Amino acid sequence: LAKTTQPISMDSYEGQEVNITCSHNNIATNDYITWYQQFPSQGPRFIIQGYKTKVTNEVASLFIPADRKSSTLSLPRVSLSDTAVYYCLVGAHGSGNTGKLIFGQGTTLQVKP
Amino acid sequence: ETGVTQTPRHLVMGMTNKKSLKCEQHLGHNAMYWYKQSAKKPLELMFVYNFKEQTENNSVPSRFSPECPNSSHLFLHLHTLQPEDSALYLCASSQDPGREETQYFGPGTRLLVL
């Protein structure tokens, strides 16, 4: 299972764009990159998933360079309600898969007014 | 609202008590999971069920006993817990147990063992 490394914490101000980078040097060919968001005392919530290049949805964008050894979650114009812990996960699909997501420490994003 | 509900939301129990946590998913998913999240620690996967069959037991002590009577319901039976078992217990579900599959989490049960 590929190990991920991301900053422990980040601060931002309302209205700014926030970029959180995750390193996954040992990512395997079949691995996808997925980001979850977790508010205090709640379960994690899926934000975005990608395999390569760029993925965008109504919440965020995910940038994945060609070597796939890192990825960047981009949150446009954050608000106070985006204060949460953000987790980067990598995982493979295929036969023998057990749905075993490995959560790291995540990045605690604090958005200030 | 993720379509995954958990009851109770909060639970206080003594070390000699027996209690059960309940999870229900309204998404038509085939896989369900139990996670444990202790303070200041990452989420830890405990159990995985696929089509009611347990496919993963992540070295969980026997004082935690899961039960999955059908694909929509998942229970975690608790017996003679220790204070270090105090944590947020999260249930999740996904369409299939694939690691690229989005997992939908419930709000969790905050457990305090005295």
Side-chain angles (χ1 to χ4, degrees), chain A residues 12 14 20-21 28 38-39 42 59 62 66 74 77 90:
Chain A
S12 181
E14 282 191 292
I20 306 174
T21 297
Q38 186 179 24
F39 298 113
Q42 293 187 29
V59 176
L62 180 59
S74 181
R77 298 180 298 281
V90 295

Side-chain angles (χ1 to χ4, degrees), chain A residues 1-102:
Chain A
L1 295 171
K3 179 178 166 19
T4 61
T5 302
Q6 51 184 126
I8 296 294
S9 63
M10 292 181 71
D11 289 341
S12 181
Y13 291 93
E14 282 191 292
Q16 290 187 330
E17 178 184 78
V18 172
N19 296 308
I20 306 174
T21 297
C22 178
S23 297
H24 27 79
N25 291 318
N26 296 323
I27 190 168
T29 303
N30 289 343
D31 283 344
Y32 282 73
I33 299 156
T34 309
W35 287 79
Y36 283 80
Q37 173 193 57
Q38 186 179 24
F39 298 113
S41 295
Q42 293 187 29
R45 181 177 76 104
F46 171 87
I47 301 176
I48 197 165
Q49 184 182 77
Y51 183 79
K52 61 180 179 180
T53 64
K54 177 184 174 182
V55 179
T56 296
N57 61 23
E58 64 277 7
V59 176
S61 294
L62 180 59
F63 298 91
I64 305 168
D67 65 6
R68 304 202 324 124
K69 293 184 183 299
S70 67
S71 58
T72 299
L73 174 72
S74 181
L75 305 172
R77 298 180 298 281
V78 294
S79 63
L80 295 175
S81 62
D82 292 316
T83 294
V85 180
Y86 292 83
Y87 297 96
C88 164
L89 296 89
V90 295
H93 65 102
S95 61
N97 201 333
T98 61
K100 190 170 184 175
L101 293 182
I102 305 297

Side-chain angles (χ1 to χ4, degrees), chain A residues 1 30-32 34 36 38 40-46 49 87 90-94 96-105, chain B residues 2 9 33 35 37 40-45 48 55-56 58 88 90 96-108 110:
Chain A
L1 295 171
N30 289 343
D31 283 344
Y32 282 73
T34 309
Y36 283 80
Q38 186 179 24
S41 295
Q42 293 187 29
R45 181 177 76 104
F46 171 87
Q49 184 182 77
Y87 297 96
V90 295
H93 65 102
N97 201 333
T98 61
K100 190 170 184 175
L101 293 182
I102 305 297
F103 285 83
Q105 293 282 6
Chain B
T2 62
R9 293 295 309 276
Y33 313 80
Y35 288 85
Q37 187 172 33
K40 307 295 184 185
K41 293 176 72 174
L43 277 84
E44 304 170 56
L45 178 68
V48 179
T55 58
E56 181 92 11
N58 203 23
L88 181 68
L90 291 158
D96 293 294
R99 273 179 287 182
E100 81 282 15
E101 290 283 339
T102 300
Q103 292 191 12
Y104 294 81
F105 286 80
R110 175 71 62 186

